[in-house]
Short mmCIF file of all heavy atoms in Angstrom, two decimals:
data_model
loop_
_atom_site.label_atom_id
_atom_site.label_comp_id
_atom_site.label_asym_id
_atom_site.label_seq_id
_atom_site.Cartn_x
_atom_site.Cartn_y
_atom_site.Cartn_z
N LYS M 84 -59.89 14.52 5.08
CA LYS M 84 -61.29 14.75 5.42
C LYS M 84 -62.11 14.06 4.28
O LYS M 84 -61.78 13.94 3.10
CB LYS M 84 -61.57 16.36 5.25
CG LYS M 84 -63.11 16.64 5.55
CD LYS M 84 -63.29 18.14 5.44
CE LYS M 84 -64.83 18.44 5.80
NZ LYS M 84 -65.09 19.91 5.75
N ASN M 85 -63.25 13.48 4.83
CA ASN M 85 -64.18 12.66 3.96
C ASN M 85 -65.60 13.14 4.26
O ASN M 85 -65.98 13.15 5.42
CB ASN M 85 -63.98 11.18 4.20
CG ASN M 85 -64.90 10.36 3.34
OD1 ASN M 85 -64.96 10.58 2.06
ND2 ASN M 85 -65.73 9.57 3.84
N THR M 86 -66.35 13.54 3.17
CA THR M 86 -67.73 13.97 3.42
C THR M 86 -68.62 13.22 2.44
O THR M 86 -68.23 13.09 1.24
CB THR M 86 -67.81 15.40 3.11
OG1 THR M 86 -66.94 16.11 4.12
CG2 THR M 86 -69.32 15.85 3.45
N ASN M 87 -69.77 12.66 2.87
CA ASN M 87 -70.79 12.15 2.00
C ASN M 87 -72.14 12.63 2.46
O ASN M 87 -72.22 13.38 3.42
CB ASN M 87 -70.62 10.55 1.89
CG ASN M 87 -70.74 9.92 3.26
OD1 ASN M 87 -71.58 10.24 4.13
ND2 ASN M 87 -69.86 8.89 3.54
N SER M 88 -73.22 12.03 1.98
CA SER M 88 -74.48 12.44 2.27
C SER M 88 -74.91 12.14 3.61
O SER M 88 -75.84 12.80 4.34
CB SER M 88 -75.49 11.82 1.29
OG SER M 88 -75.44 10.40 1.45
N ASN M 89 -74.28 11.16 4.38
CA ASN M 89 -74.67 10.77 5.63
C ASN M 89 -73.71 11.13 6.74
O ASN M 89 -74.12 11.14 7.83
CB ASN M 89 -74.81 9.15 5.71
CG ASN M 89 -75.91 8.70 4.68
OD1 ASN M 89 -76.93 9.34 4.58
ND2 ASN M 89 -75.56 7.59 4.08
N GLU M 90 -72.38 11.36 6.39
CA GLU M 90 -71.42 11.52 7.47
C GLU M 90 -70.29 12.41 6.95
O GLU M 90 -69.92 12.44 5.77
CB GLU M 90 -70.96 10.15 7.79
CG GLU M 90 -70.00 10.08 9.05
CD GLU M 90 -69.67 8.60 9.31
OE1 GLU M 90 -70.37 8.03 10.08
OE2 GLU M 90 -68.65 8.13 8.74
N SER M 91 -69.74 13.05 7.86
CA SER M 91 -68.51 13.87 7.71
C SER M 91 -67.45 13.53 8.71
O SER M 91 -67.78 13.32 9.89
CB SER M 91 -68.79 15.41 7.81
OG SER M 91 -67.68 16.22 7.75
N SER M 92 -66.25 13.27 8.36
CA SER M 92 -65.21 12.77 9.19
C SER M 92 -63.84 13.38 8.85
O SER M 92 -63.59 13.62 7.68
CB SER M 92 -65.19 11.30 9.24
OG SER M 92 -64.78 10.75 7.91
N TYR M 93 -63.04 13.61 9.83
CA TYR M 93 -61.67 13.86 9.73
C TYR M 93 -60.88 12.65 10.26
O TYR M 93 -61.16 12.18 11.34
CB TYR M 93 -61.28 15.07 10.60
CG TYR M 93 -61.82 16.43 10.00
CD1 TYR M 93 -63.16 16.75 10.38
CD2 TYR M 93 -61.16 17.28 9.27
CE1 TYR M 93 -63.81 17.88 9.88
CE2 TYR M 93 -61.75 18.50 8.81
CZ TYR M 93 -63.02 18.71 9.13
OH TYR M 93 -63.53 20.02 8.72
N SER M 94 -59.88 12.30 9.53
CA SER M 94 -58.99 11.12 9.92
C SER M 94 -57.52 11.44 9.99
O SER M 94 -57.04 12.29 9.10
CB SER M 94 -59.27 9.98 8.94
OG SER M 94 -60.63 9.59 9.00
N ALA M 95 -56.84 10.88 10.90
CA ALA M 95 -55.47 11.05 10.92
C ALA M 95 -54.81 9.64 11.10
O ALA M 95 -55.30 8.87 11.89
CB ALA M 95 -55.01 11.99 12.21
N VAL M 96 -53.74 9.44 10.42
CA VAL M 96 -53.08 8.08 10.43
C VAL M 96 -51.56 8.21 10.70
O VAL M 96 -51.02 9.10 10.16
CB VAL M 96 -53.39 7.25 9.06
CG1 VAL M 96 -52.72 5.99 9.08
CG2 VAL M 96 -54.77 7.20 8.78
#
Side-chain angles (χ1 to χ4, degrees):
K84 181 180 179 181
N85 181 53
T86 302
N87 56 45
S88 59
N89 300 317
E90 187 175 270
S91 176
S92 67
Y93 292 83
S94 300
V96 178

